Amino acid sequence: MKRRFFTVAVAGLSCCLHNVSLMQAQEAVAQPLTVAVLSFDGADEKLQTKGTEVATLLGAQLSTNASLWCVERTEVEKILSEHTLKLTGLTDPATAVQAGKIIGARVLVTGRIIASGEGALLVAKVMSTETSRVFGETASAPSLASLDKATAELAEKIGKLLEKQRPVFQIEVEKPEARIARLRKLLDGKALPSIMVSIPEQHLRQSVPDPAAETELNKTLLALGFDVIDWGG
């Protein structure tokens, strides 16, 4: 009987590769949420300066939370400047998500400091770089001299928000064994063809002898019972 086989190329793997290389993603789920605090915007020079101070203090407050890992503001500033993005004014979710991915943070915290009588109102935007979803928290200070207390209150609120909405900020990834079990049910009773997988990788103009995506996909196909044809065979 003539053996059927399919050559699987990169263009046809959008569905299959969705769950490839899950080990790194699983490790990320178990780790603290990575947070980057950007400068708070202000209407004038005085408030702008206070906004920078608030962001620094807020980052310090959040860094005491064991479930969070804050990116150093100096490192954030350096990375964003290299990509011509500013620390302030990232109010557009799309731009904020871009910045978050550049920084390597799952959560971006930015906001605005608004004059309110003799004091100020701190308005924070907490954005997910995974889903683009935006949450808000506020804290008020009766005077500019008491901004530290308001910032501590804001940090506590943001910490509780991130704990409550963690699935939004850190999407849980399907475990390999669960994925294999799910796919086996879909393939149950079906005749499985022979498959040849080709996903070439190139790093710095040099071909990779054992491409990671190809290796992982081969492992998955073998676990599902497919006859995987070796290119060298």
Side-chain angles (χ1 to χ4, degrees), residues 39-55:
S39 292
F40 278 44
D41 210 354
D44 54 41
E45 186 176 348
K46 183 178 181 180
L47 288 179
Q48 191 71 51
T49 301
K50 290 295 183 181
T52 302
E53 294 174 1
V54 165

Side-chain angles (χ1 to χ4, degrees), residues 36 82 97 106 143 159:
E82 290 174 352
V97 167
R106 292 178 180 269
S143 67

